[in-house]
Amino acid sequence: MAWYEGILLTWNTHLNAAAVGALLEEDSIELRIYNPSDSAKNFKENNRFTFSLTDDPYLFYKAALTGHDTIGFKELEEDEIETEGDFFYPKKAARVHLCEVLELNEVEIQDELGHSIVTNVSGHIIEKIGHGDYIQREDPHVDAMVHASRIHLAEKEYKKGLKEKIYKILKNQNDNLADKILKYIEGY
């Protein structure tokens, strides 16, 4: 299995987008969702979801750093969503995995972020759409956003280290997206 950073869409009473990492194999997917989260809530009510890879760092930003645990908040607008049968995925996705949950379990963990409850998701990939290029952690924006998406979970000392790491990653990135990421972490 290989690790990928992508956009998770889940739905129940509302559509939720989140940036998450996943282990992918030919027809299986493994996710680890920190709680509380709208994604974890939606998984309990609906066993269908999509995991998408993208080459658009702004799409990753919307999913990663907006709408933490805010039922009803739309990370993506309706005109940014595509459908395939009863599945939803971002229009700007390069590769889409249409999935269903095989197993869910919640566990309590203690890691560098502190004490957390995590929902482990094992799923089956029903279908794959697209073959386009996509960005991963090698892109400094994606790397910084992965770290920034954990900052609200982190305890004091680890939070300070995360901020320092994000500043270092974005040191030579002088653009609007880097500014948005840095503004986001200043709120913590």
Side-chain angles (χ1 to χ4, degrees):
M1 292 187 114
W3 186 263
Y4 296 88
E5 300 293 341
I7 311 302
L8 171 69
L9 288 188
T10 59
W11 51 93
N12 182 26
T13 57
H14 82 288
L15 185 69
N16 184 68
V20 301
L23 287 170
L24 294 175
E25 202 167 275
E26 185 61 32
D27 64 349
S28 65
I29 183 169
E30 304 277 330
L31 305 165
R32 187 174 180 173
I33 309 297
Y34 281 83
N35 290 286
S37 76
D38 291 342
S39 298
K41 291 173 190 167
N42 282 349
F43 276 129
K44 291 177 182 174
E45 301 296 325
N46 184 358
N47 73 339
R48 299 252 169 149
F49 65 97
T50 59
F51 180 77
S52 302
L53 304 176
T54 184
D55 65 352
D56 181 0
Y58 281 95
L59 176 60
F60 200 90
Y61 171 80
K62 286 181 174 186
L65 302 182
T66 64
H68 288 288
D69 197 28
T70 51
I71 293 287
F73 179 85
K74 289 183 174 183
E75 293 89 0
L76 303 176
E77 296 298 324
E78 287 183 24
D79 64 349
E80 297 176 290
I81 304 295
E82 193 72 49
T83 60
E84 176 70 30
D86 60 349
F87 289 92
F88 301 90
Y89 62 91
K91 279 186 180 177
K92 292 187 176 181
R95 298 181 187 193
V96 180
H97 302 81
L98 309 180
C99 307
E100 65 184 347
V101 174
L102 296 177
E103 185 179 344
L104 283 178
N105 66 23
E106 284 186 358
V107 295
E108 290 186 41
I109 63 166
Q110 179 71 35
D111 61 10
E112 66 274 1
L113 298 175
H115 177 79
S116 302
I117 296 176
V118 172
T119 300
N120 292 316
V121 180
S122 294
H124 170 70
I125 299 170
I126 298 169
E127 185 180 344
K128 297 175 191 174
I129 301 170
H131 301 287
D133 293 331
Y134 53 89
I135 54 176
Q136 290 293 294
R137 295 286 289 268
E138 297 80 21
D139 181 295
H141 295 101
V142 172
D143 194 27
M145 286 186 274
V146 168
H147 292 297
S149 70
R150 298 174 178 150
I151 206 160
H152 71 285
L153 299 167
E155 293 177 353
K156 189 175 180 178
E157 284 306 308
Y158 189 68
K159 190 174 293 197
K160 181 181 174 187
L162 274 175
K163 284 184 175 186
E164 290 170 2
K165 187 173 211 161
I166 293 164
Y167 278 114
K168 184 176 179 181
I169 292 167
L170 294 176
K171 183 178 179 181
N172 297 317
Q173 303 300 310
N174 299 314
D175 56 62
N176 186 43
L177 184 54
D179 292 343
K180 285 177 173 264
I181 297 166
L182 294 173
K183 184 177 178 182
Y184 174 83
I185 67 168
E186 285 309 310
Y188 289 95

